[in-house]
Amino acid sequence: MNKRFSLITAVILGVFTLSSCSNWLGKVNIFPVEQDVALGEQVASSFESGSAAVVLDSAKNATLYRYIYSVRDTILNTNLLVHKSDFPWRVRIIHNDTIQNAFCTPGGFIYVYTGLMKYLESEDQLAGVMGHEMAHAEKRHSTDAMTREFGANLLLELIFGTNKAQLLQVATGLAQLSFGRDAETEADNCSVDWLYQTSYNPVGAAGFFEKIQKEKHQVNIPEFLSTHPDPGNRVANMKKRWSEKGGKTGQTYAERYKKMLTYLP
Ligand SMILES: [Zn+2]
């Protein structure tokens, strides 16, 4: 398939694809979908080579990585993700207890900070947040936002070019990227829909917001607690969606979560 044709196809698919956890239409991402992974790889390696990211070694922390990959696999095995097999969905744990954050690059390179893992109280909350972040890659909000911020041409240049300084700048800005209200709502909806098909409490992500509200604690969450939608509205929205689906309850897996935390440095 030539490049022009694939770009046209991508635009058409972008217009006519109505996804199960989507409640908004008409977003056209002109960045070719097959480049999401290539861009994600560049951004991920640039992010990890920067001094801000201390990645927990996967060989020395095998138990932790087995745990977090099993959470990821539970989400992927719902088979609700169109890009389940297109993206690597690689997970890296960042050793930084002062940041309660997680994010996902285009193409599915997932980052979870130890500060977030220690702040959360149960596995359904971690699954809910990971589902939310994975939805930003699955629904291509990341390339939407990056295209808006930097332009499609610059992003393609980053993949094929050698401008490492610019790449680092883009990678550093990634965690602070703002997706907008619709994208955050869609990611929240995906989180509920996906967890609903597992044994998890489907509104695990809402538990995270409730904890923040209860403690009136200003935590350092640049992406997940983005300024756009009010956390209270997001909890209400997630619970409404959950109840419309039938209000099935699920497991929090708090005990095995606490056990996992003892393996964190
Ligand atoms: Zn988000």
Side-chain angles (χ1 to χ4, degrees):
M1 188 158 35
N2 71 45
K3 209 168 172 183
R4 188 183 159 81
F5 179 72
S6 69
L7 187 62
I8 292 168
T9 310
V11 170
I12 291 170
L13 287 174
V15 173
F16 292 108
T17 303
L18 174 62
S19 60
S20 62
C21 44
S22 175
N23 55 9
W24 56 302
L25 255 182
K27 207 113 200 322
V28 179
N29 188 335
I30 60 156
F31 191 77
V33 67
E34 60 267 34
Q35 298 298 350
D36 277 37
V37 176
L39 178 62
E41 265 166 13
Q42 293 283 356
V43 169
S45 76
S46 177
F47 172 72
E48 289 178 31
S49 66
S51 56
V54 181
V55 177
L56 277 196
D57 186 272
S58 54
K60 288 182 194 148
N61 298 276
T63 306
L64 283 170
Y65 276 98
R66 236 185 345 262
Y67 182 96
I68 206 155
Y69 271 107
S70 82
V71 175
R72 178 206 70 166
D73 288 346
T74 303
I75 293 170
L76 290 179
N77 290 337
T78 60
N79 289 323
L80 293 173
L81 286 78
V82 171
H83 297 300
K84 177 188 176 183
S85 306
D86 302 335
F87 295 172
W89 301 112
R90 199 197 65 183
V91 188
R92 291 287 180 265
I93 303 170
I94 305 293
H95 189 189
N96 185 332
D97 285 353
T98 67
I99 298 180
Q100 291 83 17
N101 195 22
F103 68 93
C104 187
T105 72
F109 295 83
I110 306 161
Y111 292 93
V112 181
Y113 286 78
T114 53
L116 176 74
M117 295 169 79
K118 289 178 183 179
Y119 185 74
L120 299 177
E121 291 169 336
S122 49
E123 191 175 311
D124 62 323
Q125 293 180 351
L126 178 65
V129 173
M130 283 175 69
H132 173 100
E133 296 306 333
M134 288 165 73
H136 282 313
E138 161 75 9
K139 297 295 174 185
R140 307 190 67 219
H141 301 152
S142 335
T143 35
D144 278 341
M146 290 175 87
T147 306
R148 238 183 1 253
E149 185 97 5
F150 306 107
N153 285 340
L154 173 66
L155 297 183
L156 287 168
E157 256 173 52
L158 293 182
I159 295 172
F160 300 112
T162 50
N163 193 338
K164 294 294 171 202
Q166 198 137 41
L167 188 58
L168 185 62
Q169 197 192 333
V170 170
T172 312
L174 186 73
Q176 276 82 38
L177 260 194
S178 160
F179 293 113
R181 192 191 188 91
D182 289 344
E184 292 307 335
T185 303
E186 187 177 45
D188 285 345
N189 288 345
C190 288
S191 178
V192 174
D193 291 2
W194 297 347
L195 264 59
Y196 205 90
Q197 302 304 320
T198 71
S199 63
Y200 287 128
N201 161 36
V203 282
F208 174 56
F209 283 126
E210 287 175 320
K211 181 174 158 74
I212 292 167
Q213 287 180 309
K214 195 171 66 195
E215 299 179 357
K216 301 255 185 284
H217 177 197
Q218 195 49 57
V219 293
N220 184 4
I221 311 158
E223 198 291 303
F224 194 69
L225 190 69
S226 79
T227 52
H228 299 276
D230 173 71
N233 293 344
R234 288 175 68 178
V235 169
N237 168 63
M238 282 186 267
K239 290 197 167 163
K240 181 165 171 274
R241 191 164 182 96
W242 165 70
S243 111
E244 282 167 359
K245 292 176 78 70
K248 184 195 83 171
T249 55
Q251 304 289 325
T252 63
Y253 297 116
E255 285 312 310
R256 70 186 191 198
Y257 189 79
K258 289 193 179 89
K259 194 171 169 221
M260 176 277 293
L261 291 180
T262 65
Y263 288 93
L264 278 173

